Amino acid sequence: MNSKLSAQPVPESLRRVRVVLSHTSHPGNIGAAARSMKTMGFSRLVLVTPKSFPDDQAKTMAAGADDVLAAAQVVGSLAEALSGTVLALAMTARRRELAAAPLWARDGAAELAAVAAQGEVALVFGNETAGLSNEELAQCARWALIPANPEYSSLNLAAAVQIMCYELRLALLGVAPAPVVAGAGAPATHEDVDGLMAHLERTAIASGFLDPDRPGRLMLRMRRLFSRAGLEKEEVSILRGLLASFLQPTGKRHPRAGGDAD
Amino acid sequence: MNSKLSAQPVPESLRRVRVVLSHTSHPGNIGAAARSMKTMGFSRLVLVTPKSFPDDQAKTMAAGADDVLAAAQVVGSLAEALSGTVLALAMTARRRELAAAPLWARDGAAELAAVAAQGEVALVFGNETAGLSNEELAQCARWALIPANPEYSSLNLAAAVQIMCYELRLALLGVAPAPVVAGAGAPATHEDVDGLMAHLERTAIASGFLDPDRPGRLMLRMRRLFSRAGLEKEEVSILRGLLASFLQPTGKRHPRAGGDAD
């Protein structure tokens, strides 16, 4: 993943994905699903014969994703919802008789993402209680299952939409380096760290903690510790200020106004 | 991933994970988060000064996860919530100044999973609006960010818990345990690090480097630095030995035979 994740414009492939909710009973779930979609950059919602839509509960649960709700398409059948798609991935909550083996969610998202490079695709979710009917499942070329606690696998509809949209976003936008943080300070150079280590060593000798004739592995360990932390330049300055304060004769110690280096 | 994911018994590592919700405003979100946790096999919920708990709304939203709610621990501070943990991963919704780079959610889950092979770990979520305070963030060794739509990144609290628990379940069950590093010592606990920070603060005040009336952000920065390093117990002892030597009156300082703690 890389910093492009939050910097690049919405790629065309995100717009090739439609999320289909079939026979949803609770309008609040439609709103919450719209919110889940939008947090991951998806905007095309298709509703197959929802029990109640539009509905105030949907609006409330959508929070800032009311634009997704407003643009939602209501259709009379799954076939209509899938019109124009080249791949549909049906989410199934349980193993079924007569079913081909489903994919795990992540693998299903990867397959959908690969196809979305070329054409329209759909993620399909069934009714909260009954799931998708066998007739509906048969219209989808792939089925997927979210790995869950076998003793309590009942994900809320919007939670399932959230996980699948998250997986699909990652699959579509790819993997890359860690996010860059604007506020992070300049990293300390090797020389900065060397200077700090030398200062620490002098101070430890002066305080009597380190016997220069028998240094052992103390400095090696300290270097290893501070290496792991990935020091910033400013942190090196603070630590050296601290060390300098320790070397002052006790009599000269006094509170300073500028104790905080920030 | 394979079918073992839903067939094997709950591994010990799932029980080493606690989910910490700090300063949650809406009790419904606590219930929904409990449900999200349970669907992924996690059961240990810790609440830091929730606005209202127990609460009927929480029960309603928890659906079948009322056992998770009933067993939830309510504590007065994040430090208390993290007691006994060796790694805490803080979720942050936005980039902050002065922050080290956060990990992406998947990488953070992988790291937490690797450490959960050895000790207790925590996933930490802040208030719905304000997130975690800088003081809270500084107590967590790692920060993570869920990749989201830059134009609408406001995931519902339970949705963020759902994604992280999903990632963590996959990381714990989907991959082989991390290789054990022969030379690595026992990790320091949260209390060990607290003790070190208090000792450092006392020493910095005594040396005149830190003005207790104008503490600024010195200790916050120090905590953040040492959190990043992932301290070992023995390193904490060495550092505290060093600090103790600095507090000795200069006249009593003398080279010691045992200066090296190795």
Side-chain angles (χ1 to χ4, degrees):
Chain A
M1 288 177 265
N2 68 37
S3 52
K4 282 187 209 157
L5 275 183
S6 58
Q8 66 192 12
V10 178
E12 178 62 25
S13 57
L14 287 183
R15 289 195 293 267
R16 294 221 186 92
V17 176
R18 62 186 83 169
V19 173
V20 179
L21 305 183
S22 182
H23 295 87
T24 313
S25 298
H26 302 291
N29 286 337
I30 295 175
R35 179 174 179 179
S36 296
M37 287 170 59
K38 189 170 176 181
T39 61
M40 295 296 142
F42 301 99
S43 55
R44 295 176 56 199
L45 176 59
V46 185
L47 306 169
V48 181
T49 59
K51 195 166 175 194
S52 169
F53 189 85
D55 189 289
D56 282 345
Q57 264 191 285
K59 276 186 204 145
T60 304
M61 294 300 287
D66 39 353
D67 55 335
V68 174
L69 276 192
Q73 216 187 324
V74 179
V75 298
S77 69
L78 182 58
E80 211 179 320
L82 297 181
S83 162
T85 60
V86 292
L87 183 63
L89 180 71
M91 300 309 300
T92 166
R94 53 182 192 282
R95 321 278 165 114
R96 290 160 187 261
E97 286 179 26
L98 292 172
L103 302 167
W104 286 117
R106 186 162 295 172
D107 302 325
E111 196 167 334
L112 215 56
V115 174
Q118 307 156 343
E120 298 265 324
V121 300
L123 257 177
V124 183
F125 298 83
N127 170 267
E128 293 92 331
T129 310
L132 292 163
S133 69
N134 287 334
E135 289 69 25
E136 288 177 314
L137 279 173
Q139 294 179 57
C140 300
R142 294 285 183 282
W143 306 339
L145 192 64
I146 293 173
N149 178 358
E151 284 164 25
Y152 182 75
S153 60
S154 99
L155 270 83
N156 169 267
L157 176 60
V161 171
Q162 184 73 66
I163 286 177
M164 291 310 298
C165 286
Y166 165 75
E167 284 286 13
L168 199 50
R169 180 179 180 85
L170 289 185
L172 285 166
L173 302 192
V175 183
V180 176
V181 174
T189 62
H190 193 76
E191 290 84 346
D192 294 332
V193 179
D194 277 352
L196 173 64
M197 289 299 110
H199 198 155
L200 177 62
E201 188 170 24
R202 285 196 302 276
T203 313
I205 289 171
S207 79
F209 186 77
L210 178 65
D211 178 353
D213 297 328
R214 293 186 51 194
R217 299 164 46 105
L218 176 68
M219 292 313 302
L220 187 67
R221 291 198 69 143
M222 289 295 104
R223 185 179 281 275
R224 197 186 289 148
L225 187 169
F226 285 105
S227 291
R228 287 202 312 270
L231 288 167
E232 294 172 10
K233 268 187 186 297
E234 203 178 331
E235 290 170 340
V236 170
S237 306
I238 297 173
L239 289 168
R240 294 195 64 167
L242 254 167
L243 288 172
S245 76
F246 296 151
L247 273 189
Q248 292 184 86
T250 318
K252 291 188 190 171
R253 288 174 188 176
H254 61 90
R256 285 185 210 152
D260 176 20
D262 248 14
Chain B
M1 286 177 269
N2 64 39
S3 56
K4 280 186 209 157
L5 276 184
S6 58
Q8 64 194 14
V10 178
E12 178 64 23
S13 58
L14 287 184
R15 288 195 292 269
R16 292 222 187 92
V17 177
R18 62 185 82 167
V19 172
V20 179
L21 305 184
S22 181
H23 294 85
T24 312
S25 298
H26 303 293
N29 286 338
I30 295 175
R35 179 175 177 179
S36 296
M37 287 170 59
K38 189 171 177 182
T39 61
M40 294 296 141
F42 300 99
S43 55
R44 294 176 57 200
L45 176 61
V46 184
L47 306 170
V48 181
T49 59
K51 195 164 173 196
S52 171
F53 189 86
D55 189 290
D56 282 345
Q57 264 191 286
K59 276 186 204 144
T60 305
M61 294 299 288
D66 38 353
D67 53 337
V68 173
L69 276 191
Q73 215 187 326
V74 179
V75 298
S77 69
L78 182 59
E80 211 179 320
L82 297 182
S83 162
T85 60
V86 292
L87 183 63
L89 180 71
M91 300 309 300
T92 167
R94 55 183 190 281
R95 323 273 165 118
R96 290 161 187 262
E97 287 180 24
L98 289 172
L103 302 167
W104 287 118
R106 185 161 296 170
D107 302 325
E111 196 167 334
L112 214 57
V115 173
Q118 307 160 338
E120 299 264 326
V121 300
L123 257 178
V124 183
F125 299 82
N127 171 266
E128 293 93 329
T129 309
L132 292 163
S133 69
N134 287 333
E135 288 68 26
E136 288 177 316
L137 279 173
Q139 293 181 55
C140 300
R142 294 287 182 280
W143 307 340
L145 194 62
I146 293 174
N149 178 359
E151 283 164 27
Y152 183 75
S153 59
S154 98
L155 270 83
N156 168 268
L157 176 60
V161 171
Q162 184 73 66
I163 286 178
M164 291 311 297
C165 287
Y166 165 77
E167 283 286 11
L168 198 50
R169 180 180 180 86
L170 289 184
L172 286 165
L173 304 191
V175 291
V180 175
V181 180
T189 64
H190 196 76
E191 290 87 337
D192 294 333
V193 178
D194 276 351
L196 173 63
M197 288 299 109
H199 197 154
L200 176 61
E201 189 170 24
R202 285 196 302 277
T203 313
I205 290 170
S207 80
F209 185 77
L210 178 64
D211 177 355
D213 296 328
R214 294 186 51 195
R217 300 166 49 104
L218 176 70
M219 291 315 300
L220 189 67
R221 292 198 67 144
M222 290 294 105
R223 186 180 278 276
R224 196 183 286 153
L225 188 169
F226 286 105
S227 286
R228 286 203 315 269
L231 288 167
E232 295 172 11
K233 269 188 186 296
E234 202 178 331
E235 290 170 341
V236 171
S237 305
I238 296 173
L239 289 168
R240 294 194 65 165
L242 253 167
L243 288 172
S245 76
F246 296 151
L247 273 190
Q248 290 185 84
T250 318
K252 290 188 189 169
R253 288 175 187 174
H254 60 89
R256 283 184 208 152
D260 175 21
D262 249 14

